[in-house]
Amino acid sequence: MENREMFEEINALIGAVAKAFDLAEMEVVKAIEAGELGMSMVTDDQGRNCVEVGFDGRTARIYQGAIFRPDDTPEPEDDECGGDKGHGGCSCGH
């Protein structure tokens, strides 16, 4: 039986970080040990708690059951629905 405190939670966090940055779990551990990966507990703009992770100039937010990478948010196309990149112009918000 494993007696180390928060062992399962830490393993889950390492797994989520690996998935967020498309790395192997051992690469995450090595990056932590080398000081190349930073983590902090934050509250997002909607009041939800998460772990914000920075690695190699990229950022990811790890939530319970979800990973958000700001760089993955797609921009709407200029010509989509006649709108101009999220500035209004049609009923769908473009």
Side-chain angles (χ1 to χ4, degrees):
M1 177 186 251
E2 187 60 56
N3 290 332
R4 291 183 272 189
E5 191 173 333
M6 310 245 344
F7 185 77
E8 289 179 23
E9 292 86 350
I10 292 169
N11 276 337
L13 179 58
I14 288 171
V17 172
K19 184 174 182 179
F21 294 108
D22 195 26
L23 300 169
E25 291 182 3
M26 283 308 299
E27 290 177 288
V28 172
V29 171
K30 288 178 183 179
I32 292 169
E33 290 173 345
E36 298 169 350
L37 190 143
M39 287 189 265
S40 59
M41 296 184 74
V42 300
T43 302
D44 69 12
D45 295 340
Q46 297 176 351
R48 298 175 297 182
N49 295 325
C50 63
V51 177
E52 189 169 75
V53 184
F55 175 71
D56 197 28
R58 299 176 290 164
T59 302
R61 287 190 173 177
I62 312 275
Y63 294 88
Q64 182 71 33
I67 297 169
F68 175 71
R69 292 176 294 260
D71 296 338
D72 289 352
T73 305
E75 291 271 344
E77 296 295 321
D78 280 335
D79 59 354
E80 189 175 343
C81 300
D84 62 340
K85 288 203 178 199
H87 300 292
C90 72
S91 63
C92 72
H94 291 118

